[in-house]
Amino acid sequence: MSMPLLPLFVFDGPKRPSVKRGKKVSGNAHWLTTGMKNIIAAYGFEWRTAPGEAEAEVAYLNCVGIIDGVLSDDVDNFLFGATMVIRNHSNTLSGNRAHPVKNADGRDDGNYVVTGLILIGVLSGGDYHQAGVQGCGKLIAAALARCGFGDRLLEAASSLSREELEKWLVTWHNDAREELRTNKSGLVGSKNPALAKKIPDDFPDVDILLSYTNPITSETEGKPTREITWEKESDIGKIAGLCELYFEWGVKDVIIKRFRTESKNPSCSRSCISAVLSTWF
């Protein structure tokens, strides 16, 4: 928060998926949420509560140009349609230890197609179904995406009713099996009949697919996105009170020391940004 940017913090909402990364997710807000919102507001920054999953909401906000980018260590933001994802610089996060997405020449050229990423997610595993199809890694999933299976999947999920989609998927996954068995397109690399047999008849799970292709956002809920005005200023008194409340900085010497080391950068940054904005508008 000491960087010269205007952060918008987005929290998960009540309609977020009930299962993520193999664990059940409570419909209630996290116990830290209220305190975090209070601290963010005290510093003069903005926050929103998404109707569903926060990742889907920020991807939507990025896609329509309300925010310039998404700071996250989770590439699922791309699956939801984000156009700019900035990886958290911390080296302790698991997402930052992974290899970046690369093209056929082994380069990270930034050309990511949502349809292909969704297919890779359901085949090789993602937040909503970590297992994916047994034995199907990202390379084979990416090859099937180049064959057009991702494009067809997204188009069908976006245009068909659930009943129609379930019937359509029968043909789609039979075609995918055939491609793996024969490598008809020449893009898969080699014939893989063993993997073709591992694709279950009910793949992909419709609920998982729709979680990616039709996530719950402000747009799908028909809720207009509230304008971000950036008119709030940091309130040192409120920050001090919240620090004493949440962090037990109740001793004068401790509060002064902590403010010097922990609290001044975001507050100063917010004040400087306000000064710049006042010259623009």
Side-chain angles (χ1 to χ4, degrees):
M1 296 203 318
S2 61
M3 300 298 290
L5 51 81
L6 294 169
L8 172 66
F9 297 84
V10 180
F11 295 86
D12 285 330
K15 294 184 179 181
R16 63 184 180 273
S18 58
V19 177
K20 188 173 181 179
R21 300 190 183 104
K23 297 180 180 179
K24 290 185 177 181
V25 179
S26 170
N28 300 321
H30 193 281
W31 65 274
L32 289 172
T33 299
T34 299
M36 286 294 297
K37 289 179 178 178
N38 289 336
I39 292 173
I40 291 167
Y43 274 109
F45 296 118
E46 297 277 346
W47 62 264
R48 301 284 187 274
T49 297
E53 189 170 17
E55 289 172 346
E57 183 70 8
V58 294
Y60 160 66
L61 295 175
N62 181 216
C63 187
V64 298
I66 293 177
I67 60 176
D68 296 318
V70 179
L71 177 62
S72 174
D73 63 315
D74 195 333
V75 296
D76 269 10
N77 292 283
F78 280 125
L79 276 67
F80 292 125
T83 59
M84 171 67 73
V85 178
I86 306 166
R87 299 177 83 186
N88 192 315
H89 67 276
S90 172
N91 290 324
T92 61
L93 294 171
S94 60
N96 290 346
R97 294 197 297 269
H99 296 291
V101 178
K102 298 179 180 179
N103 62 17
D105 296 324
R107 298 176 181 175
D108 183 5
D109 59 8
N111 294 322
Y112 309 119
V113 180
V114 173
T115 55
L117 290 174
I118 291 175
L119 180 62
I120 293 171
V122 296
L123 279 170
S124 61
D127 281 353
Y128 299 138
H129 186 237
Q130 291 182 293
V133 174
Q134 185 180 4
C136 184
K138 291 180 173 61
L139 290 178
I140 294 179
L144 290 174
R146 289 196 295 273
C147 293
F149 287 97
D151 294 332
R152 291 168 56 189
L153 193 62
L154 180 59
E155 182 180 357
S158 303
S159 60
L160 301 179
S161 67
R162 185 187 181 94
E163 183 179 354
E164 291 171 334
L165 179 61
E166 289 174 347
K167 293 178 180 178
W168 178 90
L169 283 172
V170 175
T171 300
W172 179 89
H173 80 250
N174 283 338
D175 290 345
R177 282 171 170 169
E178 181 66 15
E179 180 62 39
L180 289 172
R181 277 195 299 264
T182 64
N183 187 27
K184 180 171 57 176
S185 68
L187 296 174
V188 178
S190 62
K191 297 178 181 180
N192 202 328
L195 179 57
K197 292 180 180 179
K198 291 181 180 179
I199 298 181
D201 292 337
D202 58 353
F203 177 84
D205 182 282
V206 174
D207 289 327
I208 293 173
L209 175 61
L210 294 179
S211 293
Y212 284 123
T213 61
N214 302 321
I216 296 174
T217 64
S218 296
E219 181 183 36
T220 63
E221 294 293 285
K223 297 179 179 179
T225 304
R226 187 155 48 94
E227 183 181 358
I228 305 172
T229 59
W230 305 112
E231 294 177 347
K232 299 177 182 178
E233 296 284 350
S234 58
D235 188 321
I236 300 300
K238 285 185 178 180
I239 295 172
L242 290 170
C243 288
E244 182 178 1
L245 174 64
Y246 295 124
F247 307 127
E248 299 181 354
W249 296 355
V251 181
K252 179 180 178 181
D253 293 340
V254 175
I255 291 178
I256 294 174
K257 180 181 178 180
R258 292 291 188 181
F259 261 65
R260 286 174 177 169
T261 59
E262 305 291 343
S263 303
K264 65 177 181 179
N265 285 340
S267 182
C268 291
S269 175
R270 183 68 189 94
S271 298
C272 290
I273 291 171
S274 294
V276 173
L277 288 176
S278 66
T279 65
W280 286 356
F281 302 103

